[in-house]
Amino acid sequence: MNTRRLGKTGYQVSEIGLGCWQLGGDFGPVADRDAETILADAERLGVTFWDTADVYGDGLSEQRVGSFLREQKGLQRQIVATKVGRSPLLYPDKYTRRGVRESLQSSAKRLGVEAIDLAQLHCVPPEVLGDGEIFTWLDDLKSEGLIRHYGASVETIEEAFLCLEQDGLASLQIIFNLFRQDARLQLLDAARQRDVGVIVRLPLASGLLSGKFTRDTRFATSDHRNYNRDGEAFSVGETFGGIPFGKGVELTEGLRELLPGSMDMVHFALRWILDHEAVSTIIAGVSKPGQIGVNVEAAGLPPLDPALHEKAFNYYQDLVRPFIRGEI
């Protein structure tokens, strides 16, 4: 597994990381045995960056990650990132220094660590980011030793630039994929200039870019791809990149014409992201054992031809972007 530097944290992290949202059961139930197998596969394949959050399964994801790491012996060093700010105790307008500290203390306890490797603000409202006080609290928590570094997971390009104004920011987690390409225009360069690591989430646009869905695909009641497909529960951009599901299936089929040789959609989508040098790691979530091995294979593929990148960008600008709902 290739590694890249995660900004000013100095961490060397695997190019393919593990998104642990699914381990909380928010995409449908995941059995304890399956969760353990997924984590074991990640460790075996050299996936050293794991991303979770306090609200994934109301702490279940953090508990599973912490339990696995405590039970294993002789593991290579894992970098575990979690998030703070979407708990009902804080979101959307109850942020306090004490509340943020207590939330992160609870996360550290579930993860079984004294200090959290990377604590990320979890899509907090832009007015909170703009005020800036919450970053002062994170600076203090870093000085106290509760967290080693901090970053932010954001929903829009505008929010990302607000965060980049903070000197202590070490990482930015953004939506970036073949169906959400705007970050390549200015944001990636700006992050690189400030030595801020870029963590990419939703690399497959909630599974659309796997190429496995049809218009008739159905999702579990507890899956956000069911209950949030039109933004009913949270930002519409977090589900299918903000694209109506049926249109997303159609657009994915159109992308197949760009596939080089025998490359499949998953490898094409992940390799496209990795070709952007400012990206530190991709957190691709999995809900079934064996899926992570497919994701890891993308890191070993050669870069895509620059002409193909140009065609993919034109496809996005002309055919995809007009159908994205919500702010980008």
Side-chain angles (χ1 to χ4, degrees):
M1 170 63 72
N2 301 321
T3 63
R4 298 186 183 188
R5 184 172 176 272
L6 183 62
K8 60 175 65 81
T9 69
Y11 295 145
Q12 289 294 321
V13 297
S14 54
E15 288 184 335
I16 301 294
L18 178 65
C20 298
W21 189 1
Q22 286 88 336
L23 300 188
D26 298 316
F27 286 66
V30 175
D32 288 340
R33 180 175 297 180
D34 286 344
E36 185 174 346
T37 300
I38 288 168
L39 295 172
D41 285 348
E43 189 278 325
R44 175 177 56 82
L45 293 168
V47 176
T48 60
F49 184 79
W50 298 1
D51 175 89
T52 185
D54 58 348
V55 292
Y56 293 168
D58 194 24
L60 178 60
S61 176
E62 288 180 330
Q63 290 171 3
R64 283 174 160 171
V65 169
S67 177
F68 178 84
L69 293 178
R70 285 192 297 272
E71 291 174 2
Q72 303 305 306
K73 302 296 182 182
L75 278 180
Q76 60 182 312
R77 171 68 172 151
Q78 304 290 332
I79 303 299
V80 177
T82 193
K83 307 185 194 77
V84 59
R86 294 293 289 201
S87 162
L89 297 176
L90 299 172
Y91 183 84
D93 57 2
K94 300 185 287 293
Y95 296 95
T96 64
R97 180 189 297 268
R98 178 177 178 179
V100 170
R101 175 187 282 108
E102 289 179 349
S103 181
L104 287 170
Q105 287 173 332
S106 296
S107 289
K109 183 177 181 179
R110 286 189 290 269
L111 291 170
V113 298
E114 293 184 2
I116 295 170
D117 293 328
L118 176 65
Q120 304 162 98
L121 297 178
H122 195 179
C123 299
V124 304
E127 55 269 25
V128 176
L129 298 175
D131 174 76
E133 184 68 14
I134 198 167
F135 293 101
T136 300
W137 304 340
L138 293 174
D139 280 323
D140 291 344
L141 293 176
K142 181 180 176 182
S143 297
E144 294 171 16
L146 178 58
I147 62 176
R148 294 191 172 94
H149 301 280
Y150 67 82
S153 178
V154 297
E155 294 173 340
T156 69
I157 301 293
E158 182 180 358
E159 291 168 3
F161 276 108
L162 280 176
C163 294
L164 285 177
E165 296 176 4
Q166 303 296 325
D167 292 338
L169 191 83
S171 68
L172 264 179
Q173 186 177 135
I174 62 172
I175 302 172
F176 184 54
N177 57 53
L178 284 161
F179 283 172
R180 289 289 291 269
Q181 296 191 29
D182 283 52
R184 63 171 287 194
L185 299 176
Q186 294 180 328
L187 180 60
L188 294 184
D189 284 342
R192 195 172 185 178
Q193 291 170 7
R194 292 165 175 77
D195 197 20
V196 171
V198 173
I199 302 164
V200 171
R201 74 176 186 279
L202 298 174
L204 301 180
S206 304
L208 270 179
L209 291 168
S210 71
K212 297 178 181 179
F213 297 161
T214 70
R215 288 178 176 270
D216 296 326
T217 299
R218 296 292 179 265
F219 303 97
T221 303
S222 59
D223 191 322
H224 78 100
R225 293 173 294 185
N226 178 26
Y227 67 78
N228 191 60
R229 67 169 55 196
D230 293 316
E232 299 94 327
F234 43 82
S235 171
V236 68
E238 297 286 345
T239 304
F240 304 127
I243 301 170
F245 178 68
K247 189 64 181 180
V249 171
E250 175 188 326
L251 291 168
T252 301
E253 287 303 305
L255 268 181
R256 291 188 187 279
E257 296 182 11
L258 301 184
L259 292 179
S262 60
M263 183 177 286
D264 64 22
M265 283 297 302
V266 170
H267 290 146
F268 178 46
L270 296 178
R271 186 63 252 177
W272 179 87
I273 297 170
L274 289 174
D275 285 352
H276 296 83
E277 294 182 1
V279 171
S280 297
T281 187
I282 300 171
I283 49 172
V286 300
S287 56
K288 297 178 181 178
Q291 289 177 329
I292 193 167
V294 175
N295 296 338
V296 165
E297 290 171 354
L301 297 175
L304 302 174
D305 188 280
L308 182 53
H309 275 276
E310 188 66 22
K311 290 179 181 178
F313 183 66
N314 290 337
Y315 186 87
Y316 168 72
Q317 287 279 70
D318 297 339
L319 300 176
V320 178
R321 201 177 190 281
F323 292 97
I324 297 175
R325 298 167 295 177
E327 294 185 50
I328 297 176

